[in-house]
Amino acid sequence: MRNKGAIWFLAIALALVSIYQLSFTWKTAQVKKHATEYAKGDEAKYSYYLDSISGEEVYNFLFGVKKYTYRECQERELNLGLDLKGGMNVILEVSVVDVIRSLSNYSKDTTFNRAITMAKEMQKSGQDDYVTLFGRAFETIDPSAKLSAIFNTVELRDKISFTSSNQEVLDVIREEANGAIDNSFNIIRTRIDQFGVTQPNIQRLETNDRILVELPGVKDRDRVKNLLQGTANLEFWETYENKELYQSLLDANTIIKQVQDAEKALAKEQTVEQEPADEETPALLSEVKQSETAQQTEEPTLLQQLESD
């Protein structure tokens, strides 16, 4: 009986845990249904709706015991994958050729450019990485040529010297190319995380210069394409330390104070000059009124004289 009770307890606990986990999938499906009804077939509106509520609370577990946003529900829903959920499957290839050209400072050397072209052709039928094929093509074209003479640039001067062998140069090139691929991998992961895709699959393929990206549930293909292919611009701005600007700020503060004091003094002088004119006006009005009063006083006197005559 004790074993039977333990089995029932475990079964009930497992059922409750399963229901709890499935509830997030149910809630996200409900939100997506509302988004579909709102969009009415417009992919842009569908994505806008989901983005707008990503930080909103959409699930109150046990009547408010725990509240979850739509993004948190997405993170906890079941991973159905592309087979069950649909979505996008993208393979991105990092151009190692452009990396090598950049490392050589876009050399115009004939042997170098011929090796680049030959390595591309060899890559179509070969399984080796491009750097290995490039080194093999370079030695085939000119066995006595030195890669160090091409790649001894300002950027690689600390790693490559004129006495470096071709194999040493190829090792440096491979290291730089792998660094560029790792950097691209991290950028893609960061962009997809900002895009809001839950449980994406991002991995490097056996061919070292390719990256596989699987995005379950994604429908807006153009938006993902622009996101992954967008070019990042790195800008540099000249900055100054506080001690370099402090004296200039003090000088500017002094000049501004002088200008404000001069404006106040000028306004005060204009006010003083206008006061006498204001005093003369009432005096002139009073003289006019006195004259009118005198005329009014004289008129009755003249009438009285006429009546007496």
Side-chain angles (χ1 to χ4, degrees):
M1 294 297 293
R2 293 181 180 178
N3 293 335
K4 186 176 180 180
I7 293 174
W8 274 105
F9 175 78
L10 292 176
I12 294 173
L14 182 60
L16 292 176
V17 171
S18 300
I19 293 173
Y20 172 74
Q21 293 295 332
L22 290 173
S23 65
F24 294 104
T25 304
W26 169 77
K27 178 55 67 174
T28 55
Q30 188 179 37
V31 173
K32 290 177 181 178
K33 181 180 178 181
H34 294 162
T36 302
E37 295 174 353
Y38 169 80
K40 296 180 180 179
D42 190 336
E43 296 294 340
K45 287 185 177 180
Y46 179 85
S47 300
Y48 172 78
Y49 182 91
L50 296 180
D51 291 342
S52 64
I53 65 170
S54 61
E56 299 291 334
E57 295 179 353
V58 297
Y59 185 29
N60 294 331
F61 180 70
L62 293 180
F63 305 100
V65 174
K66 178 64 176 178
K67 298 180 180 180
Y68 297 94
T69 64
Y70 175 65
R71 176 67 59 82
E72 292 173 339
C73 291
Q74 283 185 305
E75 294 173 351
R76 290 169 172 81
E77 69 175 338
L78 293 179
N79 185 9
L80 301 179
L82 294 179
D83 296 336
L84 299 176
K85 195 174 183 180
M88 292 185 62
N89 185 343
V90 182
I91 296 179
L92 303 174
E93 182 176 0
V94 179
S95 180
V96 180
V97 175
D98 293 335
V99 174
I100 294 177
R101 290 186 184 276
S102 176
L103 293 174
S104 69
N105 199 17
Y106 300 96
S107 174
K108 302 297 183 181
D109 184 81
T110 304
T111 304
F112 169 76
N113 287 284
R114 288 179 60 190
I116 289 286
T117 304
M118 182 181 292
K120 289 182 181 179
E121 295 297 327
M122 296 169 63
Q123 192 177 30
K124 295 178 181 180
S125 58
Q127 299 296 327
D128 295 328
D129 63 276
Y130 184 82
V131 177
T132 301
L133 296 176
F134 167 74
R136 191 178 303 165
F138 189 83
E139 292 184 357
T140 301
I141 294 173
D142 189 353
S144 62
K146 298 284 292 183
L147 286 172
S148 59
I150 299 174
F151 289 94
N152 186 27
T153 61
V154 176
E155 292 79 7
L156 299 177
R157 188 167 296 173
D158 295 337
K159 299 180 179 180
I160 298 176
S161 63
F162 285 110
T163 59
S164 298
S165 64
N166 287 353
Q167 186 58 47
E168 291 175 343
V169 175
L170 290 175
D171 292 339
V172 174
I173 294 174
R174 185 175 288 104
E175 180 183 355
E176 295 293 330
N178 289 335
I181 296 173
D182 290 338
N183 188 37
S184 300
F185 181 86
N186 293 331
I187 291 174
I188 291 172
R189 178 176 292 279
T190 301
R191 291 183 178 183
I192 291 175
D193 290 341
Q194 294 176 352
F195 184 71
V197 180
T198 57
Q199 301 171 342
N201 179 26
I202 308 172
Q203 59 181 341
R204 293 175 60 171
L205 300 178
E206 293 181 359
T207 51
N208 200 30
D209 54 347
R210 294 186 179 182
I211 300 173
L212 172 65
V213 179
E214 293 181 348
L215 305 175
V218 174
K219 297 181 179 181
D220 194 346
R221 298 177 181 272
D222 293 334
R223 185 182 180 189
V224 174
K225 182 179 179 181
N226 295 331
L227 178 71
L228 297 179
Q229 293 182 345
T231 302
N233 295 323
L234 179 62
E235 298 182 355
F236 294 91
W237 296 84
E238 185 177 3
T239 59
Y240 299 91
E241 294 184 1
N242 184 45
K243 62 181 181 181
E244 296 177 314
L245 297 176
Y246 184 72
Q247 187 60 42
S248 299
L249 292 175
L250 287 180
D251 296 340
N253 184 57
T254 303
I255 294 174
I256 293 173
K257 185 177 184 304
Q258 293 175 353
V259 172
Q260 291 178 346
D261 293 341
E263 290 177 350
K264 291 180 181 179
L266 180 61
K268 186 176 181 180
E269 292 177 0
Q270 292 177 351
T271 303
V272 173
E273 291 177 355
Q274 291 176 357
E275 288 180 354
D278 296 339
E279 292 177 355
E280 290 177 359
T281 302
L284 181 60
L285 291 174
S286 62
E287 291 179 1
V288 173
K289 290 181 180 179
Q290 290 177 0
S291 176
E292 292 177 353
T293 304
Q295 291 178 0
Q296 293 175 359
T297 306
E298 291 176 357
E299 288 178 357
T301 304
L302 180 60
L303 291 173
Q304 291 175 0
Q305 291 177 358
L306 291 173
E307 290 176 357
S308 63
D309 291 343

